[in-house]
mmCIF file of all heavy atoms in Angstrom:
data_model
loop_
_atom_site.group_PDB
_atom_site.id
_atom_site.type_symbol
_atom_site.label_atom_id
_atom_site.label_comp_id
_atom_site.label_asym_id
_atom_site.label_seq_id
_atom_site.Cartn_x
_atom_site.Cartn_y
_atom_site.Cartn_z
ATOM 1 N N HIS A 261 23.986 23.986 3.445
ATOM 2 C CA HIS A 261 25.207 24.019 2.647
ATOM 3 C C HIS A 261 24.927 23.743 1.182
ATOM 4 O O HIS A 261 25.843 23.515 0.402
ATOM 5 C CB HIS A 261 26.192 22.978 3.188
ATOM 6 C CG HIS A 261 26.638 23.298 4.590
ATOM 7 N ND1 HIS A 261 27.484 24.341 4.895
ATOM 8 C CD2 HIS A 261 26.300 22.742 5.780
ATOM 9 C CE1 HIS A 261 27.686 24.382 6.203
ATOM 10 N NE2 HIS A 261 26.972 23.428 6.753
ATOM 11 N N ALA A 266 14.722 21.062 -3.181
ATOM 12 C CA ALA A 266 13.321 21.292 -2.851
ATOM 13 C C ALA A 266 12.438 20.616 -3.876
ATOM 14 O O ALA A 266 12.677 20.711 -5.069
ATOM 15 C CB ALA A 266 13.019 22.796 -2.824
ATOM 16 N N PRO A 279 -4.600 7.154 9.399
ATOM 17 C CA PRO A 279 -3.660 7.249 10.515
ATOM 18 C C PRO A 279 -3.657 5.980 11.330
ATOM 19 O O PRO A 279 -4.597 5.196 11.325
ATOM 20 C CB PRO A 279 -4.186 8.452 11.324
ATOM 21 C CG PRO A 279 -5.054 9.190 10.378
ATOM 22 C CD PRO A 279 -5.623 8.165 9.461
ATOM 23 N N GLY A 281 -4.210 3.413 14.069
ATOM 24 C CA GLY A 281 -5.312 3.301 15.003
ATOM 25 C C GLY A 281 -6.630 3.709 14.409
ATOM 26 O O GLY A 281 -7.672 3.582 15.026
ATOM 27 N N ASP A 290 -16.926 2.316 12.189
ATOM 28 C CA ASP A 290 -17.890 1.260 12.465
ATOM 29 C C ASP A 290 -17.994 0.270 11.302
ATOM 30 O O ASP A 290 -18.878 -0.582 11.274
ATOM 31 C CB ASP A 290 -19.268 1.859 12.764
ATOM 32 C CG ASP A 290 -19.780 2.694 11.615
ATOM 33 O OD1 ASP A 290 -19.103 2.760 10.568
ATOM 34 O OD2 ASP A 290 -20.853 3.263 11.776
ATOM 35 N N GLY A 303 0.910 22.849 -5.652
ATOM 36 C CA GLY A 303 1.832 23.049 -6.753
ATOM 37 C C GLY A 303 3.152 23.607 -6.275
ATOM 38 O O GLY A 303 3.376 23.805 -5.089
ATOM 39 N N SER A 319 3.523 26.459 10.646
ATOM 40 C CA SER A 319 3.517 25.013 10.645
ATOM 41 C C SER A 319 3.817 24.511 12.049
ATOM 42 O O SER A 319 4.202 25.269 12.938
ATOM 43 C CB SER A 319 4.560 24.487 9.657
ATOM 44 O OG SER A 319 5.845 24.832 10.121
ATOM 45 N N ALA A 328 17.540 31.035 21.717
ATOM 46 C CA ALA A 328 17.418 32.351 22.337
ATOM 47 C C ALA A 328 18.018 33.444 21.457
ATOM 48 O O ALA A 328 17.518 34.559 21.415
ATOM 49 C CB ALA A 328 18.102 32.345 23.709
ATOM 50 N N ILE A 337 14.208 28.982 11.614
ATOM 51 C CA ILE A 337 12.908 29.157 10.953
ATOM 52 C C ILE A 337 13.056 29.046 9.443
ATOM 53 O O ILE A 337 12.282 28.354 8.768
ATOM 54 C CB ILE A 337 12.289 30.512 11.345
ATOM 55 C CG1 ILE A 337 11.920 30.527 12.831
ATOM 56 C CG2 ILE A 337 11.052 30.817 10.504
ATOM 57 C CD1 ILE A 337 11.511 31.891 13.358
ATOM 58 N N LEU A 339 15.411 27.566 7.689
ATOM 59 C CA LEU A 339 15.755 26.210 7.274
ATOM 60 C C LEU A 339 14.527 25.316 7.245
ATOM 61 O O LEU A 339 14.349 24.512 6.324
ATOM 62 C CB LEU A 339 16.823 25.627 8.198
ATOM 63 C CG LEU A 339 18.257 26.074 7.956
ATOM 64 C CD1 LEU A 339 19.185 25.487 9.002
ATOM 65 C CD2 LEU A 339 18.712 25.677 6.562
ATOM 66 N N ARG A 340 13.677 25.447 8.242
ATOM 67 C CA ARG A 340 12.464 24.616 8.276
ATOM 68 C C ARG A 340 11.558 24.931 7.098
ATOM 69 O O ARG A 340 11.013 24.034 6.457
ATOM 70 C CB ARG A 340 11.718 24.837 9.595
ATOM 71 C CG ARG A 340 12.412 24.252 10.809
ATOM 72 C CD ARG A 340 11.735 24.705 12.089
ATOM 73 N NE ARG A 340 12.513 24.333 13.259
ATOM 74 C CZ ARG A 340 12.609 25.050 14.369
ATOM 75 N NH1 ARG A 340 11.969 26.207 14.433
ATOM 76 N NH2 ARG A 340 13.316 24.638 15.377
ATOM 77 N N GLY A 344 10.623 22.431 3.305
ATOM 78 C CA GLY A 344 9.339 22.003 2.773
ATOM 79 C C GLY A 344 9.153 22.328 1.314
ATOM 80 O O GLY A 344 8.717 21.490 0.529
ATOM 81 N N PRO A 346 10.396 25.576 -1.968
ATOM 82 C CA PRO A 346 11.133 26.813 -2.229
ATOM 83 C C PRO A 346 10.326 28.046 -1.821
ATOM 84 O O PRO A 346 9.099 28.047 -1.886
ATOM 85 C CB PRO A 346 11.338 26.787 -3.750
ATOM 86 C CG PRO A 346 11.224 25.356 -4.133
ATOM 87 C CD PRO A 346 10.223 24.768 -3.199
ATOM 88 N N PHE A 373 21.738 33.531 3.440
ATOM 89 C CA PHE A 373 21.098 32.458 2.674
ATOM 90 C C PHE A 373 21.137 32.762 1.176
ATOM 91 O O PHE A 373 21.255 31.846 0.367
ATOM 92 C CB PHE A 373 19.661 32.264 3.141
ATOM 93 C CG PHE A 373 19.526 31.333 4.318
ATOM 94 C CD1 PHE A 373 20.415 31.383 5.374
ATOM 95 C CD2 PHE A 373 18.489 30.413 4.362
ATOM 96 C CE1 PHE A 373 20.297 30.534 6.455
ATOM 97 C CE2 PHE A 373 18.357 29.556 5.440
ATOM 98 C CZ PHE A 373 19.260 29.609 6.497
ATOM 99 N N ARG A 396 -0.977 23.992 -14.836
ATOM 100 C CA ARG A 396 -2.295 24.613 -14.738
ATOM 101 C C ARG A 396 -2.713 25.335 -16.010
ATOM 102 O O ARG A 396 -3.838 25.805 -16.111
ATOM 103 C CB ARG A 396 -2.298 25.634 -13.583
ATOM 104 C CG ARG A 396 -2.035 25.036 -12.205
ATOM 105 C CD ARG A 396 -3.185 24.178 -11.728
ATOM 106 N NE ARG A 396 -4.421 24.936 -11.669
ATOM 107 C CZ ARG A 396 -4.776 25.752 -10.678
ATOM 108 N NH1 ARG A 396 -3.959 25.919 -9.654
ATOM 109 N NH2 ARG A 396 -5.926 26.392 -10.699
ATOM 110 N N SER A 443 -17.691 19.185 -22.332
ATOM 111 C CA SER A 443 -18.631 19.492 -21.244
ATOM 112 C C SER A 443 -19.605 20.604 -21.600
ATOM 113 O O SER A 443 -20.581 20.827 -20.880
ATOM 114 C CB SER A 443 -17.863 19.872 -19.974
ATOM 115 O OG SER A 443 -17.160 21.093 -20.157
ATOM 116 N N LEU A 460 -10.531 30.711 -20.350
ATOM 117 C CA LEU A 460 -9.197 31.178 -20.758
ATOM 118 C C LEU A 460 -8.857 32.527 -20.135
ATOM 119 O O LEU A 460 -7.704 32.773 -19.760
ATOM 120 C CB LEU A 460 -9.133 31.269 -22.284
ATOM 121 C CG LEU A 460 -9.200 29.945 -23.052
ATOM 122 C CD1 LEU A 460 -9.144 30.203 -24.547
ATOM 123 C CD2 LEU A 460 -8.079 29.004 -22.631
ATOM 124 N N GLU A 481 -16.356 21.833 -34.787
ATOM 125 C CA GLU A 481 -17.468 20.970 -34.396
ATOM 126 C C GLU A 481 -18.712 21.220 -35.244
ATOM 127 O O GLU A 481 -19.756 20.622 -35.001
ATOM 128 C CB GLU A 481 -17.811 21.188 -32.917
ATOM 129 C CG GLU A 481 -16.835 20.545 -31.969
ATOM 130 C CD GLU A 481 -17.475 20.238 -30.624
ATOM 131 O OE1 GLU A 481 -18.512 20.852 -30.291
ATOM 132 O OE2 GLU A 481 -16.940 19.364 -29.927
ATOM 133 N N PHE A 487 -21.811 34.915 -37.025
ATOM 134 C CA PHE A 487 -22.582 36.022 -36.473
ATOM 135 C C PHE A 487 -22.429 36.181 -34.962
ATOM 136 O O PHE A 487 -23.221 36.855 -34.326
ATOM 137 C CB PHE A 487 -24.073 35.818 -36.821
ATOM 138 C CG PHE A 487 -24.326 35.726 -38.301
ATOM 139 C CD1 PHE A 487 -24.584 34.514 -38.898
ATOM 140 C CD2 PHE A 487 -24.260 36.869 -39.096
ATOM 141 C CE1 PHE A 487 -24.803 34.426 -40.263
ATOM 142 C CE2 PHE A 487 -24.476 36.791 -40.452
ATOM 143 C CZ PHE A 487 -24.749 35.560 -41.047
#
Side-chain angles (χ1 to χ4, degrees):
H261 296 289
D290 59 3
S319 66
I337 293 171
L339 281 176
R340 289 171 189 145
F373 274 42
R396 298 291 302 279
S443 66
L460 293 179
E481 284 205 339
F487 302 104

